[in-house]
Each structure stands twice: as structure tokens, then as C-alpha cells.
Amino acid sequence: MRWGLLSTARINRRIEEAIAASPLCEVLAVASRDGGRASEYARSHGIPRAHAGYEALLADPDIEAVYVSLPNGLHPEWALRALQAGKHVLCEKPLSARAGEAASLFDAAERAGRLLSEGFMYRHHPQTRRLAELVRGGAIGSPRLIRASFSFPLGDPHDVRLSATLQGGALLDVGCYCVDAARLIAGEPVRVSGWRAIGGDGVDVRFAGTLEHLDGVIAQFDAGIRLAPRQGLEIVGDEASLHVPDPWLCNEPGIELRRGGRAEVIPVPGADPYLLEVEDIATAIRGGLSPLLGRTEAVSQARTIEALREAAETGTPVRIQPAAPPAMI
Ligand SMILES: NC(=O)c1ccc[n+]([C@@H]2O[C@H](COP(=O)([O-])OP(=O)(O)OC[C@H]3O[C@@H](n4cnc5c(N)ncnc54)[C@H](OP(=O)(O)O)[C@@H]3O)[C@@H](O)[C@H]2O)c1
């Protein structure tokens, strides 16, 4: 699978390492808004081709799949343009902050006969899969409460995460992981509430939210981009609880099961989630299969994010209508 990198973003490094480790993939080209930056990046990263401008990379007939690592606000436009140019697309999270837009991107992918996937790399890690298996296998009884957090102290005052125009903010940058995990464990919420503190040029630098599920599961999360570093995920059932200290970056995987005053550590193998992510996509494309994260996941995630933003903006809980089932033909 010949990949092209859309931008010279810092996160590219992880994807480049993953692709270098994969016998299924290679990085063929990188594009930058600035031709000189593209050339210098390609030279220093050992990438064969450099394109001046994103359009030029999309016009390169040898590129099969594009990694969209642009600032959040540019994801929908460039994912669409890549699909229309006949490329498969791995788009960094968040694909979109609006359900309708996310759905229309998958419509475009279907029209083009190309794959589209949202880049939540932690979902590919064995830790996340094991966690979901433990919950589904009854390790904690019935899940009742989920608590999740993700924050870090952003240093650069010019970082794209502080730009409202580029769709920065804590919810879209790191809170989205907490939301995704709550949906993975408890399914789609029926009502959400949100609170935010504004900073930067008008983004939510802190966000706290609650997701209520039909069967009574309540998920609470908080996220921040100008806070001390924190991450954690706790799933509390009516019999026991599961604790994951490093749920998103997965650098030190491990799950703790606490039951009746005793704690058991459930070992999880180390793995590079970015490698598993690019191989999932390459395998799906080559085999005509569905990737781990496809339309249903991305559209439902966008629907929840959209509702949380509305709840925080209006100060009122927002009900989420379940997605309409597909029309019977
Ligand atoms: N999955 C993960 O683990 C993970 C981790 C970090 C970030 N991310 C996601 O990856 C994306 C990129 O994050 P990052 O921190 O790597 O970004 P970054 O280093 O700030 O890079 C963003 C790139 O976008 C391009 N760009 C295009 N228009 C721009 C504009 N108006 N302002 C600034 N840059 C612009 C620039 O490349 P050129 O000028 O060279 O074109 C820039 O290098 C985000 O969506 C973020 O959510 C994911």
C-alpha cells in the first residue's frame, strides 16, 4: 500500500515509523502547503517524493492511500478531496464534528469505491480490545459507570489546538478519546450534558461531559489542553471495576480488575497501535474487507460530539435520536 502524507504534521512521525515496520506498506510521498518544506521534510525523513501543495499529492497516480494529518478543521474538506481523487483515506481524529458531514464523507467514499477510516489508534491496541472483551465477558457484572480523563499542558501559544477557526479545543483534541471509549463500552448515549471553559482564540481549553445511556450506564469525562497531564479510564460494574492508567497512548499497557478489596493485574501485550492501524487499513483495502473503524463508528462518534458541543454552548442537556435503521429495499 503506497501512502501519501497530507501535511508535515508532527504526528506523521508515528505513522512513518509504523509504515516502515510494516511489510504491507510504504510512504511514497509527502505534501506541504510550502514546496520547500515538503522537499526538506522528504529529504530528512527518507521519503521518495515531495509535492508542493496537497492537490499535487492527490494528483499523483502512484499514491493509493492518503493519511490526513491536517488541523481538525481541514479534515472534512481534504478527506473528501482525497476520496474524489480516487484515494483511500485514513483521517486523523476527529474526522468531523458533525454527524451529517461525517455521513456525507462515507457516501463519497462509497461512490468512489474507496475506504475511509477515522484514526483512533488506541482502538487498535490489544489493551482496548481486551478491555472490551472483559466487560462483555461479565468480568465486572453489568457496567454502570464510566469515568475517563485526558489532559496535557500545551506549551506553544500558536498551536493549532488553540485556534477556533481550525477546530481546536479540548473536546475535539483529547476529549474525543473519552467519548469514543464510553461509546465502545456502553453503546450510543441517549442524552448528553457538557461544560466548557474558553481560552485560546475561543476554543474550549477544558471540557467536562456526561453521557447517559438507555440502560442506565452513566459516563463522565473531562479533558483539557492547558492542564497537568492526566489520563485514565475506569469502568465500574455492579460487581467489580476495571482501571486502565494509560488507556489512550498505550505506552504502558495494563488493566487492573478490582473486586472485593482485591486487585488483579491483567497483562496486556505491548504493541504499536499506529502499526496495527495502518495494517488494518491496508489489509481491508487489499482484501475488500471493512476496517475496524468505518461509517457506523465515525458517524455515531460525530453525532455524540456534536450533541456535547451543543449542550455546552446552550447549557442544556441534549437528547440524541438513535440513528435511523437503513431503509428496506
Ligand atoms: N492519533 C494520534 O495519536 C494523534 C496525536 C497527535 C495529533 N493527532 C491529530 O493529528 C492532527 C495533526 O496534529 P499535529 O499536532 O501533528 O499538527 P501540527 O504538527 O500542528 O501539524 C499540522 C500540519 O497541518 C498543515 N497545515 C495546513 N494548514 C494549516 C494551518 N492553517 N495552520 C497550521 N498548520 C496547517 C501544516 O503542514 P504544511 O504547512 O507542511 O502543509 C502542519 O504541519 C490533528 O488532527 C490531531 O488531532 C492525532
Side-chain angles (χ1 to χ4, degrees), residues 6-12 14-15 30-34 37-38 41 53-54 67-75 78 91-94 119-122 156 158-161 163 166 172-174 176-177 248-249 274 277:
L6 220 57
S7 96
T8 57
R10 283 163 295 176
I11 186 59
N12 285 3
R14 295 301 306 264
I15 288 290
V30 61
S32 169
R33 292 171 295 174
D34 180 291
R37 188 156 58 244
Y41 188 97
Y54 307 142
Y67 174 57
V68 178
S69 54
L70 293 162
N72 299 344
L74 300 175
H75 290 178
W78 286 99
C91 182
E92 261 310 335
K93 40 54 66 175
F120 273 110
M121 82 322 183
Y122 90 102
D156 178 6
H158 304 296
D159 193 283
V160 293
R161 288 161 183 77
S163 162
L166 295 174
L172 291 181
D173 192 48
V174 280
C176 61
Y177 286 90
W248 324 121
L249 304 178
Y274 299 91
E277 179 178 69

Side-chain angles (χ1 to χ4, degrees), residues 30 65 93 100 115 129 146 188 196 205 210 245 254 258 302-303 313:
V30 61
K93 40 54 66 175
L115 176 150
R129 290 170 175 257
I146 299 169
E188 303 310 326
R196 63 184 184 175
V205 286
T210 304
R258 294 182 196 162
R303 184 177 296 114
E313 269 161 39

Side-chain angles (χ1 to χ4, degrees), residues 125-196:
H125 196 281
Q127 172 172 265
T128 313
R129 290 170 175 257
R130 185 81 185 100
L131 185 71
E133 278 168 18
L134 285 164
V135 175
R136 282 176 197 139
I140 56 171
S142 297
R144 294 285 184 237
L145 190 73
I146 299 169
R147 289 161 56 91
S149 61
F150 198 178
S151 65
F152 68 99
L154 190 63
D156 178 6
H158 304 296
D159 193 283
V160 293
R161 288 161 183 77
L162 293 170
S163 162
T165 318
L166 295 174
Q167 296 273 332
L171 175 62
L172 291 181
D173 192 48
V174 280
C176 61
Y177 286 90
C178 306
V179 172
D180 187 74
R183 294 182 37 260
L184 172 68
I185 298 300
E188 303 310 326
V190 292
R191 192 166 70 151
V192 302
S193 304
W195 298 267
R196 63 184 184 175

